[in-house]
Amino acid sequence: MLQVAFIRENTEAVLKGLEKRNLKNAADLVAKTIAADESRRAIQTELDAVLAESNKLSKDIGQLFKLGERSKAEILKQKTVLLKEKSKDLTESLQNKAIELQELLYLIPNIPNDIVPAGSSEEDNLNVLQEGEIPVLHEGALPHWELAKKYDIIDFELGNKIAGAGFPVYKGKGAKLQRALINYFLDKNTEAGYNEVQVPHLVNEASGFGTGQLPDKEGQMYHDAQDNLYLIPTAEVPVTNIYRDVILKEGDFPILNTAYTPCFRREAGSYGAHVRGLNRLHQFDKVEIVRIEHPTKSYQALGTMVDHVKGILKELNLPFRILRLCGGDIGFTAALTYDFEVFSTAQDRWLEVSSVSNFEAFQANRLKLRFKNSEGKSELAHTLNGSSLALPRILAGLLENCQTPEGIKIPKALVPYCGFELIN
């Protein structure tokens, strides 16, 4: 959430940033936000004046009683009754206006960093790096959903029977490879200095608003109406919310956490060939990295996170590319995002496996996540997160790119984790 003072003082810059996002109602939304803020501040000024007058009268009444001038004191008491009524009405108006302002602020996305390219869709994302050799597969190579059936390692039909489409059942070496990837990713992250945490897989409404999933992604989240809890779409939500309403010290930076969780997404509106197999699921596993940083260090930290994910993909010997997302494709809360995609040779397409983002102070403002700077003043921290990594498409890429006529060869880095070198 942008700070209202920032919007008020930098209106043109905010509108320019929102224009890069192609937000059609930006001018109207910003104008309504500024008007609501002006109204709120006017009510606050009036309320302050009424309370000040009421306090002064109370002191005057006390003095009059001491002097024995009861009749004058009674006249003033009648005035305080009217002032109390007025302050009550103004307090109620102030609360209503504050709610209105908050709801407007929740609708305004983050301002993209200056280096975010203009564009309206994923077609306009900027390819900043491509590494790894795309393998030439043998004749008769199969997409991962056919390989899963051939080697009996993932059962999509059984998952459909138990829960529905998008909930696969991993079996035998498929389940072991899944667990191996989780442990491998966690070990790589902890070796890089990230502290492993285990977090709830359900979050309350305050947590959803804190990291920006609500109200923006409400329709994509599974919701338990009885307890008003949401199944997490990513570990970013509970891990970042550990620091909601927290005041840090400058010496606490950087804060690095990693967590494995299942993730749940409704994926409403997703259809077509691109959702086949592991390409898009309602439940999937992911290992996340989350950083809380000093504002002056957050972009350096973003570069470190990008290099970290890059190193893992290189170790898995997967061909990948890194995209800088354009204004029309970047997430609601992000100021700058780099997407990692691995190439699926059997599908002849790129598969997104990670997003690494800097949210600057956007989430911190919602979370009330602050720190005391060197001058003792409170300042908003910066938050960042990245997939390190999302499993389904990594698994799809491994199965397809590592297939041979003899079976699927496991990358060397994973062999100690899964205990086998070949799926056959």
Side-chain angles (χ1 to χ4, degrees):
M1 185 170 67
L2 297 176
Q3 292 177 284
V4 69
F6 178 84
I7 296 172
R8 190 173 61 242
E9 294 162 14
N10 303 275
T11 306
E12 289 305 314
V14 168
L15 288 172
K16 187 177 178 183
L18 296 180
E19 184 183 349
K20 189 180 276 190
R21 284 181 169 275
N22 309 303
L23 189 66
K24 298 196 186 315
N25 64 336
D28 182 55
L29 194 53
V30 168
K32 284 180 178 177
T33 301
I34 291 172
D37 181 51
E38 286 174 351
S39 177
R40 178 188 63 84
R41 289 191 294 150
I43 296 169
Q44 182 69 66
T45 300
E46 189 178 357
L47 177 60
D48 290 343
V50 167
L51 292 173
E53 187 180 352
S54 183
N55 288 336
K56 183 181 180 301
L57 285 178
S58 295
K59 289 177 183 178
D60 291 345
I61 290 166
Q63 283 297 111
L64 289 170
F65 274 122
K66 282 182 183 179
L67 296 170
E69 298 185 44
R70 177 175 286 275
S71 59
K72 288 183 179 179
E74 290 298 333
I75 292 169
L76 292 184
K77 279 182 77 175
Q78 290 302 311
K79 285 187 177 180
T80 61
V81 170
L82 294 174
L83 288 171
K84 281 181 181 176
E85 292 267 343
K86 191 172 183 180
S87 70
K88 182 183 175 185
D89 290 343
L90 285 169
T91 299
E92 187 176 335
S93 295
L94 185 64
Q95 289 171 342
N96 290 336
K97 191 56 67 174
I99 290 169
E100 179 190 338
L101 177 60
Q102 188 84 342
E103 287 175 347
L104 285 166
L105 287 168
Y106 278 144
L107 299 176
I108 301 175
N110 203 354
I111 303 303
N113 185 281
D114 289 343
I115 68 169
V116 170
S120 58
S121 71
E122 61 183 27
E123 301 300 322
D124 301 310
N125 293 333
L126 183 65
N127 189 343
V128 296
L129 178 74
Q130 185 168 323
E131 282 195 28
E133 193 175 326
I134 294 174
V136 177
L137 299 181
H138 60 280
E139 190 176 342
L142 301 170
H144 69 269
W145 53 86
E146 295 291 346
L147 292 168
K149 190 173 183 179
K150 178 179 178 179
Y151 296 115
D152 194 25
I153 52 175
I154 308 170
D155 197 322
F156 295 101
E157 291 178 8
L158 186 55
N160 191 36
K161 170 188 171 183
I162 296 168
F167 297 90
V169 174
Y170 299 88
K171 302 162 67 176
K173 286 186 174 180
K176 286 184 178 180
L177 182 54
Q178 184 87 341
R179 179 158 50 92
L181 282 165
I182 292 166
N183 288 336
Y184 167 70
F185 292 151
L186 284 170
D187 281 355
K188 293 298 291 184
N189 295 345
T190 53
E191 286 166 13
Y194 290 87
N195 178 51
E196 184 178 349
V197 292
Q198 288 191 0
V199 289
H201 300 163
L202 291 123
V203 293
N204 55 29
E205 197 171 65
S207 295
F209 276 99
T211 45
Q213 278 67 33
L214 297 176
D216 181 54
K217 294 287 190 295
E218 186 168 8
Q220 294 293 352
M221 295 172 73
Y222 286 100
H223 181 221
D224 171 26
Q226 186 170 345
D227 294 315
N228 197 24
L229 293 173
Y230 293 83
L231 281 166
I232 60 170
T234 166
E236 169 203 342
V237 183
V239 175
T240 311
N241 270 278
I242 291 171
Y243 303 96
R244 177 156 44 93
D245 298 319
V246 168
I247 298 178
L248 302 166
K249 300 188 289 290
E250 273 195 305
D252 293 331
F253 296 120
I255 295 171
L256 288 70
N257 285 314
T258 184
Y260 152 70
T261 64
C263 302
F264 305 88
R265 299 182 186 179
R266 293 187 62 242
E267 297 291 2
S270 296
Y271 58 91
H274 68 288
V275 304
R276 259 193 108 170
L278 297 170
N279 288 347
R280 186 151 298 182
L281 302 174
H282 294 303
Q283 178 184 326
F284 61 94
D285 292 317
K286 183 153 69 85
V287 176
E288 199 80 358
I289 49 176
V290 173
R291 295 177 76 118
I292 314 294
E293 292 281 350
H294 191 283
T296 61
K297 300 286 180 65
S298 66
Y299 277 97
Q300 181 183 336
L302 181 67
T304 301
M305 293 169 77
V306 167
D307 286 342
H308 176 68
V309 175
K310 192 194 305 180
I312 293 174
L313 291 173
K314 287 172 79 171
E315 200 166 274
L316 290 176
N317 201 27
L318 286 169
F320 69 91
R321 68 180 183 181
I322 303 175
L323 306 176
R324 185 185 298 150
L325 298 194
C326 71
D329 199 31
I330 196 171
F332 184 89
T333 54
L336 180 61
T337 296
Y338 290 99
D339 268 8
F340 284 77
E341 297 180 339
V342 299
F343 190 75
S344 160
T345 311
Q347 295 181 68
D348 192 29
R349 60 190 294 257
W350 292 95
L351 306 173
E352 182 199 330
V353 294
S354 175
S355 283
V356 182
S357 302
N358 187 351
F359 306 108
E360 296 184 356
F362 191 86
Q363 287 183 333
N365 191 32
R366 288 179 173 229
L367 295 159
K368 294 182 173 61
L369 167 54
R370 294 176 165 82
F371 69 97
K372 292 284 186 183
N373 62 24
S374 56
E375 297 172 359
K377 294 179 182 177
S378 285
E379 199 177 329
L380 290 171
H382 279 194
T383 62
L384 304 93
N385 91 282
S387 318
S388 182
L389 284 148
L391 271 73
R393 294 171 191 163
I394 285 285
L395 189 56
L398 286 173
L399 295 178
E400 294 178 0
N401 290 345
C402 298
Q403 62 179 302
T404 70
E406 293 75 38
I408 299 161
K409 289 186 176 178
I410 304 300
K412 275 185 183 178
L414 288 177
V415 172
Y417 288 89
C418 57
F420 53 85
E421 297 180 2
L422 191 70
I423 295 176
N424 58 12

